[in-house]
Amino acid sequence: MKPDTSTAAQPRRQRAAQDPLWLRVLLTSIALAIVGILIFLPILHVFVHAFSEGPFRYFEHLFGDSANRDAILTTLSVAPRAVILNLVFGVSAAWLIARFRFPGRTLLLTMVDLPFAISPVVVGLALVLLYGNQGLLGPRLSSAGITVLFNTPALVLATTFVTLPFIVRELIPLMESVGPDEELAALSLGASGWQMFWLVTLPGLRLGLLYGIILCSARAVGEFGAVYVVSGRIAGRGQTIPLRVEQLFQQYQSPADFALASILTGIALASLFARRLLESASGPRKIQSATTSGDAA
Amino acid sequence: MSSRVPLPGFALSLGYTLTFMSLIVFLPLAAIAWKSADLSWEQFVQTVSHPRALAAMRLTFSTALIAAAINIVLGLIVAWVLVRYEFPFKRWVDALIDLPFALPTAVAGLVYASLYMKDGWIGRFIVPMGIEIAYTPAAIVMVLVFTGFPFVVRAVQPVLEEIDTDLEEASAILGATRWQTFWMVLWPNLRPAVVTGFALALARGLGEYGSVIFVSSNLPGKTEVAPTLIVARIEENKFAEATALALVLLLSSFALLGLINVWEKWSRRHEA
């Protein structure tokens, strides 16, 4: 790889730490087989089965069936709300945790990760215990005419809970690495707090926000366990795409099922692709900001 | 240091963050605590030691453990190959590693259910050989291996990248075989990352529901995992029993994550 022949000892030393060719070939084949069987084959399987009856039937499955159409619409109304809620929360919590030191900060940081440690089914149960007929708040809310459970609000609450850490976790390290210098400069030049926020803080977080939103959306669209418990699963009402996938599975409607699954798979693949793009975009950007700050100094 | 800096918005962001977390996270968890307070100790023990519950717990813990253990081996091989070797399409393979995090569990379940059936892409080869995976606990392990796969790879990869190959060279020059070098030089460095990846995969496996209900036959006492039993109890309106089971799941995953934290601190102190 490296045409560095200046030191004669180099090749021998490298060989000493390198695996023999047979081992390299063997391990690479095993690794490719693992990724192939575990990940690549399933993706291929989704698309092959989705299009097994041709592209026309594919779109008919997606949009011709009213329950499928409703599932797509429900997902489109639930996921963005959860993402927006977590976006505002993410910016607020990141500002708090990355810019201030206060008692309880470490605890708060741990709490932000809590949803990762809780089974989605338990999240669903918690919402049922809170908003159900026999729940803590359910009876009071329903006498006020508000139904949360088995209704869109419950789907949004469940999805928001499960995807809560994604955006904050992207923003905190980014905000910490950027540091408050530019914000302080803006303030000392007479900017108001909100001017500083809109003109300095947010633009600096651009890539992190974008990446966090992508991750959060991908997970929000695909959430199953928590949503399964609180949806009530009445066809056409409160049924998201993943729930409809499960229902079609029970009804042995394979091509329609894989057609819906292909949307979710496409979103997952797109989020991975976008991540790679952002990562390669953030590389040169880091260098650029380093040079500009060097110029300023 | 930052606390002395007169940045604005502390009260606003503190207030908003705490209010939001209370409404979304703490209030529901308080409902679980409230329900568990209703539960007497005898009731709790009775629910958790019910044969069906015991069988579900046993299946949940054993399948999650086996899957996480398998992921140690698979994860180490894949991380090693990705860090140390060059091969075509390496960037694409590396990008695919994260798919199990991004792919909805329902899709994973759907695909894994049909891959291993008699006429599935993989089943048609292995079923004639007498390997029946579909609807058995083996299918649960398979799908948990999938959902937990990125944890070990992504934990080990950065550590492996940072390890100085000088150490390996020294070890080779001193006459160690590759295998000895791995066990005596590399493994001690990799162990904390492997343990972290293992514990995260395990914690994820304990709570997994979406993919499992597709690939398992969900028979009570046989192929029913704890999250499935919790859902069944919720659907029967037996909330006390569902809460008791949920508590066991919650406490075990908290204990796991607590253990990782302690372990990480401990191994960092011993490094220094």
Side-chain angles (χ1 to χ4, degrees), chain B residues 157-205:
Chain B
Q157 238 177 341
V159 181
L160 207 49
E161 270 163 9
E162 271 183 26
I163 291 180
D164 201 339
T165 46
D166 284 357
L167 284 175
E168 288 164 64
E169 281 158 19
S171 151
I173 287 163
L174 291 172
T177 64
R178 247 352 239 151
W179 190 242
Q180 284 172 323
T181 305
F182 178 78
W183 274 115
M184 299 164 84
V185 178
L186 291 173
W187 176 247
N189 284 304
L190 293 177
R191 203 172 41 207
V194 170
V195 171
T196 307
F198 171 81
L200 289 172
L202 182 59
R204 173 78 205 262

Side-chain angles (χ1 to χ4, degrees), chain B:
Chain B
M1 189 196 116
S2 302
S3 61
R4 267 179 276 142
V5 158
L7 281 171
F10 176 74
L12 179 66
S13 60
L14 181 72
Y16 186 79
T17 303
L18 288 184
T19 312
F20 187 83
M21 285 206 68
S22 305
L23 287 176
I24 298 291
V25 178
F26 300 146
L27 203 58
L29 291 183
I32 288 193
W34 164 74
K35 195 73 194 175
S36 359
D38 272 6
L39 221 60
S40 71
W41 178 246
E42 288 78 29
Q43 226 179 336
F44 177 79
V45 172
Q46 208 178 10
T47 309
V48 176
S49 62
H50 186 276
R52 185 174 166 186
L54 275 182
M57 291 293 175
R58 211 177 296 132
L59 185 66
T60 297
F61 280 90
S62 57
T63 49
L65 263 172
I66 295 170
I70 292 175
N71 269 329
I72 290 183
V73 179
L74 301 188
L76 276 174
I77 296 175
V78 171
W80 179 265
V81 169
L82 284 175
V83 172
R84 290 298 173 90
Y85 304 157
E86 290 300 324
F87 55 93
F89 303 112
K90 184 172 147 175
R91 276 174 54 90
W92 292 100
V93 174
D94 190 58
L96 275 183
I97 303 292
D98 284 325
L99 186 88
F101 285 163
L103 193 73
T105 50
V107 179
L110 175 70
V111 184
Y112 270 72
S114 57
L115 276 178
Y116 291 91
M117 276 199 262
K118 212 167 53 249
D119 51 351
W121 284 9
I122 295 176
R124 72 178 65 163
F125 298 111
I126 61 169
V127 171
M129 288 159 64
I131 307 172
E132 290 271 3
I133 291 183
Y135 300 120
T136 68
I140 302 177
V141 172
M142 281 299 300
V143 85
L144 292 184
V145 167
F146 174 82
T147 52
F149 178 66
F151 285 112
V152 176
V153 183
R154 292 306 188 214
V156 169
Q157 238 177 341
V159 181
L160 207 49
E161 270 163 9
E162 271 183 26
I163 291 180
D164 201 339
T165 46
D166 284 357
L167 284 175
E168 288 164 64
E169 281 158 19
S171 151
I173 287 163
L174 291 172
T177 64
R178 247 352 239 151
W179 190 242
Q180 284 172 323
T181 305
F182 178 78
W183 274 115
M184 299 164 84
V185 178
L186 291 173
W187 176 247
N189 284 304
L190 293 177
R191 203 172 41 207
V194 170
V195 171
T196 307
F198 171 81
L200 289 172
L202 182 59
R204 173 78 205 262
L206 290 180
E208 183 54 28
Y209 174 70
S211 54
V212 173
I213 57 160
F214 284 83
V215 299
S216 164
S217 49
N218 302 311
L219 291 176
K222 288 207 174 74
T223 49
E224 182 184 58
V225 292
T228 314
L229 180 56
I230 293 177
V231 174
R233 292 298 186 228
I234 297 172
E235 285 173 343
E236 293 161 6
N237 283 333
K238 291 179 176 164
F239 296 122
E241 293 182 19
T243 307
L245 295 165
L247 274 180
V248 176
L249 270 191
L250 267 179
L251 293 179
S252 26
S253 53
F254 286 170
L256 252 176
L257 295 177
L259 275 178
I260 314 177
N261 267 329
V262 172
W263 163 273
E264 274 178 348
K265 271 182 201 143
W266 182 85
S267 53
R268 213 174 297 146
R269 202 178 309 138
H270 281 246
E271 250 173 60

Side-chain angles (χ1 to χ4, degrees), chain A residues 269-285:
Chain A
L269 286 173
S271 76
L272 292 186
F273 184 66
R275 178 189 169 177
R276 288 282 138 158
L277 277 184
L278 287 178
E279 272 173 2
S280 50
S282 66
R285 202 186 141 267

Side-chain angles (χ1 to χ4, degrees), chain A residues 9 28 32 36 49 52 95 100 108 110 123 127 137 143 150 163 181 190 210 222 228 240 246 250 260 262 267 275-276:
Chain A
T28 310
L32 288 178
H49 279 70
S52 60
W95 180 253
F100 299 99
L108 186 65
T110 316
V123 175
L127 290 174
L137 297 179
S143 65
F150 311 133
T163 57
D181 293 351
L210 204 56
Y228 186 89
T240 61
E246 199 266 342
Q250 300 292 350
L260 272 182
S262 74
I267 292 172
R275 178 189 169 177
R276 288 282 138 158

